[in-house]
Amino acid sequence: MFFSRIEKVVLGLTVFVAAFFVLPPTAEAMHIMEGYLPIGYCLAWGAVALPFVVIGVIRLRKTIQENRRALILLAMSGAFIFVISSLKIPSVTGSCSHMTGTGLSTILFGVTSTSVLGVIVLVFQAILLAHGGLTTLGANTFSMAIAGPLVTLLLFKAGKALKLNKLVNVFVAVSLGDLFTYCVTAFQLALAHPSETGGVLASLVKFLLVFAPTQIPLTIVEGFLTVLIVIGMESFAKQELAASSYGKVI
Amino acid sequence: MSSQSADPNVDQKERSGKNMKNRTPLVITLIILTVLIMLFPLFLIRGAEFEGSDGAGSEMVDEVSGGEYEPWFDPILETLIGGELPSEMETLFFCIQTGIGVGVIAYCFGYLVARKRYNTSEKTYADELQPSV
């Protein structure tokens, strides 16, 4: 045997990561900008997102009342979204973008609770940073705090059912959920801005090519960071973690 | 409720704490990889401007829909201060956001680490909490 197990893992990971830098350079975006969705779409996405947020508020209150110990994990996953979504990371395309950070709270508290945390961050960024927007709040909430987390949760549950290694499961579920967020953002933009020649579909392909490939390194980083914080929680907050949906049997 | 029966899903290895030690190389590897991925583009395309993504997105909208798209609503802050947010101020706000998040996470981890250290067994902690719930 030439390599030890760890060396093999490291080698595999580096090859995996290196592969993404070969992707063609494109532009990108994160949230949909203020005023870039026609008002009908703003209202429609808001209407889709609202039930999730309302249920989320109810569920969060219930979680806190029933299990005070969950509060510390909740605070941490909320703070995690704050940190992660404020870090602008350079991409190979020559511009900056940032991650969502919603994966952690999804695997700990589920989709609806996550949507509430997501709204808080989005409002903060829309008002103070002119990043994202109040008119596009519904659409951005849907992509970042509902659609992405839904994928994360489904993948995480599937991984649990398949008895996948927990940390690998977290990485895969969070990364792909994050990637899906951008796909949804692309879809939302395409729907509102269909291409003159090819309609919504051509527009979607174009937006997808703009968003997805350059976000892939970022989704990997987000996966890594989430795994790191989960390792920390497993070491120091095992009981709280066991009580959250992370520890529950499917 | 003892910590042993708390979660049947946790396998034996994890429970005995054996896995914890083995994770140190993983943690270090992940941190190094994260830093590498984050910094790699800086060195790959030297001299790039690394502008925010908003501009790129709106350019794309113009390109796809043909002709310039006029946003129908301006960010509230920009309306209030009558112009774009100065980039120094934007940095400040982003730092505040990061600071709040890091502060909360650091506080929580500090609490958790201290709790683990000063509670010789997790079992005692669980029993201690039980009556008050």
Side-chain angles (χ1 to χ4, degrees), chain B residues 46-57:
Chain B
R46 298 162 65 201
E49 287 187 10
F50 292 110
E51 284 176 347
S53 50
D54 287 15

Side-chain angles (χ1 to χ4, degrees), chain A residues 5-26:
Chain A
R5 208 171 149 257
I6 290 174
E7 279 169 337
K8 270 185 194 164
V9 171
V10 174
L11 185 71
L13 280 174
T14 40
V15 171
F16 182 64
V17 168
F20 288 110
F21 292 117
V22 191
L23 291 164
T26 37

Side-chain angles (χ1 to χ4, degrees), chain A:
Chain A
M1 206 162 86
F2 296 110
F3 298 112
S4 74
R5 208 171 149 257
I6 290 174
E7 279 169 337
K8 270 185 194 164
V9 171
V10 174
L11 185 71
L13 280 174
T14 40
V15 171
F16 182 64
V17 168
F20 288 110
F21 292 117
V22 191
L23 291 164
T26 37
E28 75 208 282
M30 163 62 199
H31 303 309
I32 300 175
M33 297 70 65
E34 185 84 282
Y36 266 86
L37 281 185
I39 192 156
Y41 289 95
C42 297
L43 295 176
W45 288 116
V48 174
L50 195 63
F52 286 91
V53 179
V54 172
I55 296 171
V57 172
I58 297 168
R59 275 195 55 185
L60 272 183
R61 285 186 57 156
K62 216 175 141 197
T63 309
I64 295 168
Q65 277 169 1
E66 282 175 2
N67 188 3
R68 295 288 306 175
R69 277 198 270 165
L71 203 60
I72 192 161
L73 292 191
L74 190 67
M76 285 169 93
S77 28
F80 188 70
I81 302 178
F82 250 70
V83 177
I84 293 290
S85 65
S86 74
L87 295 177
K88 285 192 175 179
I89 291 166
S91 79
V92 278
T93 63
S95 62
C96 278
S97 191
H98 64 83
M99 303 162 282
T100 62
T102 46
L104 180 66
S105 67
T106 306
I107 54 178
L108 295 183
F109 299 102
V111 175
T112 49
S113 306
T114 303
S115 68
V116 180
L117 299 176
V119 168
I120 296 171
V121 178
L122 283 170
V123 168
F124 183 95
Q125 291 192 329
I127 293 177
L128 288 180
L129 294 163
H131 186 75
L134 290 178
T135 57
T136 52
L137 188 64
N140 286 332
T141 305
F142 182 77
S143 66
M144 169 178 143
I146 294 168
L150 264 175
V151 169
T152 301
L153 194 71
L154 289 177
L155 285 174
F156 189 68
K157 285 191 169 176
K160 258 190 199 170
L162 293 169
K163 301 229 184 313
L164 211 64
N165 174 297
K166 272 200 164 179
L167 295 181
V168 174
N169 194 9
V170 169
F171 174 74
V172 172
V174 169
S175 299
L176 292 180
D178 188 51
L179 193 61
F180 189 67
T181 295
Y182 301 106
C183 299
V184 171
T185 307
F187 174 69
Q188 289 170 330
L189 277 174
L191 211 60
H193 302 282
S195 167
E196 279 190 329
T197 45
V200 173
L201 206 65
S203 184
L204 175 65
V205 171
K206 215 162 188 179
F207 280 119
L208 268 181
L209 285 178
V210 169
F211 288 95
T214 45
Q215 293 293 350
I216 288 171
L218 295 186
T219 63
I220 295 172
V221 170
E222 168 151 12
F224 285 168
L225 291 176
T226 311
V227 168
L228 283 173
I229 200 161
V230 167
I231 291 176
M233 285 176 171
E234 277 194 340
S235 310
F236 298 109
K238 221 173 193 179
Q239 306 211 343
E240 285 85 349
L241 212 53
S244 75
S245 60
Y246 173 81
K248 279 181 196 143
V249 192
I250 309 176

Side-chain angles (χ1 to χ4, degrees), chain B residues 20-33:
Chain B
M20 296 301 154
K21 263 182 196 165
N22 296 345
R23 277 180 182 170
T24 317
L26 175 68
V27 169
I28 295 170
T29 311
L30 287 182
I31 292 175
I32 293 174
L33 279 176

Side-chain angles (χ1 to χ4, degrees), chain B:
Chain B
M1 188 185 80
S2 78
S3 67
Q4 291 286 307
S5 64
D7 180 16
N9 204 29
V10 178
D11 65 313
Q12 208 64 45
K13 244 198 208 162
E14 266 179 54
R15 211 178 279 160
S16 64
K18 248 185 186 174
N19 260 4
M20 296 301 154
K21 263 182 196 165
N22 296 345
R23 277 180 182 170
T24 317
L26 175 68
V27 169
I28 295 170
T29 311
L30 287 182
I31 292 175
I32 293 174
L33 279 176
T34 306
V35 173
L36 281 182
I37 298 176
M38 280 157 78
L39 295 183
F40 189 81
L42 268 181
F43 298 99
L44 183 76
I45 8 172
R46 298 162 65 201
E49 287 187 10
F50 292 110
E51 284 176 347
S53 50
D54 287 15
S58 44
E59 275 166 33
M60 199 62 198
V61 169
D62 289 347
E63 195 189 317
V64 165
S65 56
E68 203 156 304
Y69 181 83
E70 190 58 43
W72 61 276
F73 193 88
D74 286 327
I76 283 188
L77 191 67
E78 289 186 0
T79 316
L80 283 179
I81 63 173
E84 279 203 9
L85 190 64
S87 70
E88 297 297 330
M89 294 303 294
E90 200 181 322
T91 313
L92 172 70
F93 285 131
F94 266 112
C95 285
I96 291 174
Q97 195 189 332
T98 320
I100 294 172
V102 170
V104 172
I105 291 181
Y107 176 87
C108 292
F109 261 122
Y111 167 80
L112 291 171
V113 170
R115 186 185 75 187
K116 191 176 180 181
R117 171 164 293 179
Y118 298 114
N119 273 293
T120 38
S121 88
E122 284 190 16
K123 207 177 163 187
T124 345
Y125 171 71
D127 295 340
E128 214 174 81
L129 267 188
Q130 221 48 48
S132 64
V133 171

